[in-house]
Amino acid sequence: MKHLKQNIAIVYLLCASLVMAQQTPAPKQTKPIAIMGATAHIGNGEIIENSVLIFKAGKLTTVAEASVVKIDISNMEVINAAGKHVYPGFIIPNSTLGLVEIDAVRASDDDAEIGHLNPHIRSLIAYNAESKIIETIRPNGVLLGQITPRGGRISGTSSIVQFDAWNWEDAAIKVDDGVHVNWPNSFARGRWWKGEAPGLKPNENYTKQVQEVTHFIKQSQAYLNGDKPIKHLPFEAVRGLFDGSKKLYVHVNDAKAITDAVNFKNEYGIKNMVVVGGEQALQVASLLKHNNVPVLIRRVHSLPKHTDDAYDQPFKLAKVLTDAGLLVALENSGDMERMHARNLPFLAGTTVAYGLSKEQALQLITLNAAKILGIDQTYGSLEVGKSATLFISEGDALDMRTNMLERAFVDGRDISLESHQTNLWKRYSNKYKNQ
């Protein structure tokens, strides 16, 4: 009886582990694959209505109009996608996917580190490739992301991953791409719990908080330009900002602070800077364009932040910044950002209703994002020589009514689109069909 109970317990645990297990990453591509007849959305603004896409060993070898190429399909898998659409995999920048699993469980929360100036903290080594949340975003076409730390004045260093991997080593496609700084706000809201008046008022500590960043950068430059008897990890971590191998991602929203951040970049010789958030970027658009500073726009589905903002300011910001000549992409940080990451294509779809064309909106989460993150030589568009990271949708992937994926590939690997959510949907659909 004792052994029977033990065996039952073991079987129960095995079954539970199978139910909770993450989808097994797909094996490498073994034979060429051809997708025939689909409308191909290239990601650079172009469309091929009746396309043929062929990829081999994870790389695109043919992207063309079907009527102008002759191919031998005898030794390849052929996918008939007539009437369907093919897109490059969507990219989500500035995300904490894989760093937090359950907000209320502290042991599963690893998106921030103790301390205030932490450029040497690397988000990549905390990334959990088997997060249950990650498998829920792939069915909407989100296949790549920038895993970004939070907290402090200098949060740490991000990396870029693909979302079908055994571990962070397998997932990484660009390691330590940039350092993230939370720039001080030039205005602060009154804190009611301290008896302060509500509403915005000048931040009295703004200058002091900015000096905190500038002092650190001055110290790091002195260290990097001098003798280094002892390695200083925080200073070493910002070396790439001065030689161009890393980007400085400045999380900043108000116009004055954006201006100060750009001046900071120029004064200290930082090669590449990206504004993250940029709610008032339009007010300083000419400055950003002159200094070649792109913008990652915070969640489109947001309310205006200031009383004098237009009611539709968050919805049309991508349009007006694009018209101003800036390189723009979308990010989704904020409340419940990880579970909302699957809505990234619908954020882009909203910008269509506010002036962008569908192909321009697509660029916000494909090629533009790839350019900003520095991975556009390999990802972000359907072009010969680039990675076969793409998907087939029954309809318009920017519309939640027609974003229905049939197949998805990461580096040519045919990945699973199942998740615990799709399993539950099928389970209860069958339940009510049989009643």
Side-chain angles (χ1 to χ4, degrees):
M1 187 66 179
K2 179 180 179 181
H3 292 298
L4 177 61
K5 289 182 177 179
Q6 289 177 338
N7 290 337
I8 291 173
I10 291 171
V11 171
Y12 175 80
L13 289 173
L14 287 174
C15 290
S17 65
L18 288 173
V19 170
M20 295 302 293
Q22 166 76 346
Q23 293 292 335
T24 300
K28 288 185 178 181
Q29 183 182 3
T30 57
K31 62 185 297 186
I33 297 175
I35 302 173
M36 308 288 292
T39 298
H41 302 263
I42 305 302
N44 60 4
E46 299 177 9
I47 299 176
I48 302 176
E49 294 289 351
N50 178 29
S51 67
V52 54
L53 281 77
I54 301 174
F55 49 98
K56 180 179 180 181
K59 298 290 184 182
L60 286 161
T61 58
T62 301
V63 179
E65 172 71 39
S67 62
V68 300
V69 295
K70 293 182 178 181
I71 57 172
D72 179 9
I73 60 174
S74 57
N75 295 317
M76 61 181 68
E77 177 187 350
V78 178
I79 301 173
N80 182 2
K84 300 181 175 67
H85 299 257
V86 179
Y87 293 88
F90 297 153
I91 305 168
I92 184 161
N94 186 36
S95 174
T96 54
L97 280 162
L99 299 182
V100 179
E101 196 68 9
I102 304 172
D103 287 306
V105 179
R106 181 65 185 88
S108 74
D109 185 337
D110 203 10
D111 65 341
E113 191 56 74
I114 295 172
H116 206 51
L117 301 169
N118 294 317
H120 57 302
I121 298 301
R122 304 172 65 228
S123 63
L124 182 61
I125 60 173
Y127 173 69
N128 175 21
E130 295 188 333
S131 167
K132 297 293 287 184
I133 303 172
I134 289 172
E135 68 179 19
T136 69
I137 69 171
R138 297 186 309 209
N140 280 0
V142 182
L143 305 180
L144 303 167
Q146 181 194 42
I147 308 306
T148 305
R150 298 282 189 258
R153 184 62 64 205
I154 302 180
S155 301
T157 298
S158 59
S159 291
I160 302 161
V161 302
Q162 50 86 4
F163 292 134
D164 185 64
W166 286 104
N167 49 49
W168 65 262
E169 292 96 332
D170 295 339
I173 60 175
K174 186 172 185 181
V175 175
D176 300 339
D177 71 294
V179 175
H180 291 256
V181 172
N182 296 305
W183 196 265
N185 294 316
S186 60
F187 284 82
R189 292 190 178 276
R191 296 166 292 183
W192 60 267
W193 61 92
K194 287 194 173 184
E196 297 175 353
L200 285 175
K201 60 180 180 180
N203 179 5
E204 297 176 355
N205 296 316
Y206 178 73
T207 300
K208 179 181 178 181
Q209 292 167 350
V210 170
Q211 287 175 346
E212 189 176 35
V213 180
T214 58
H215 182 63
F216 177 86
I217 291 298
K218 287 178 180 179
Q219 284 186 312
S220 66
Q221 287 182 324
Y223 165 85
L224 295 170
N225 293 329
D227 296 330
K228 307 171 188 62
I230 300 175
K231 180 170 286 191
H232 190 284
L233 293 180
F235 294 159
E236 290 284 351
V238 300
R239 181 189 297 275
L241 299 180
F242 307 114
D243 62 23
S245 60
K246 288 183 180 179
K247 293 187 177 182
L248 179 67
Y249 293 89
V250 181
H251 298 242
V252 60
N253 285 303
D254 66 86
K256 171 177 169 45
I258 293 173
T259 301
D260 290 343
V262 173
N263 292 336
F264 163 82
K265 163 195 175 296
N266 294 333
E267 180 177 355
Y268 293 100
I270 294 170
K271 299 292 185 183
N272 299 300
M273 173 181 151
V274 178
V275 166
V276 182
E279 291 169 1
Q280 295 185 347
L282 180 60
Q283 298 179 25
V284 289
S286 59
L287 174 71
L288 294 173
K289 182 179 180 181
H290 177 74
N291 287 277
N292 195 30
V293 175
V295 180
L296 291 174
I297 297 176
R298 188 178 177 273
R299 187 180 300 176
V300 172
H301 294 171
S302 299
L303 294 173
K305 293 296 188 296
H306 306 284
T307 55
D308 56 350
D309 286 343
Y311 73 92
D312 56 357
Q313 179 71 14
F315 304 137
K316 66 183 183 182
L317 185 58
K319 163 68 173 174
V320 294
L321 291 182
T322 298
D323 288 348
L326 299 182
L327 180 61
V328 179
L330 303 184
E331 56 105 358
N332 187 51
S333 61
D335 293 340
M336 301 180 70
E337 65 179 73
R338 290 167 293 282
M339 49 286 290
H340 282 176
R342 59 189 167 192
N343 294 325
L344 179 69
F346 313 137
L347 301 184
T350 297
T351 68
V352 177
Y354 287 84
L356 289 180
S357 70
K358 285 189 176 181
E359 299 311 307
Q360 285 178 313
L362 176 64
Q363 287 179 267
L364 298 178
I365 55 175
T366 55
L367 189 56
N368 284 11
K371 287 179 178 178
I372 291 173
L373 300 182
I375 58 172
D376 55 300
Q377 294 300 312
T378 308
Y379 298 94
S381 59
L382 303 176
E383 299 179 73
V384 172
K386 287 193 174 185
S387 167
T389 297
L390 51 89
F391 64 88
I392 304 170
S393 175
E394 289 186 13
D396 182 357
L398 304 188
D399 188 331
M400 66 177 63
R401 297 168 298 181
T402 53
N403 178 313
M404 292 181 283
L405 271 63
E406 285 193 354
R407 303 279 291 274
F409 301 86
V410 171
D411 296 330
R413 297 179 293 107
D414 190 356
I415 70 171
S416 171
L417 294 175
E418 295 297 321
S419 70
H420 60 285
Q421 292 180 338
T422 59
N423 290 334
L424 288 172
W425 171 66
K426 291 175 182 177
R427 176 186 177 188
Y428 287 102
S429 293
N430 290 333
K431 172 186 175 181
Y432 292 109
K433 283 179 183 176
N434 296 330
Q435 289 185 349

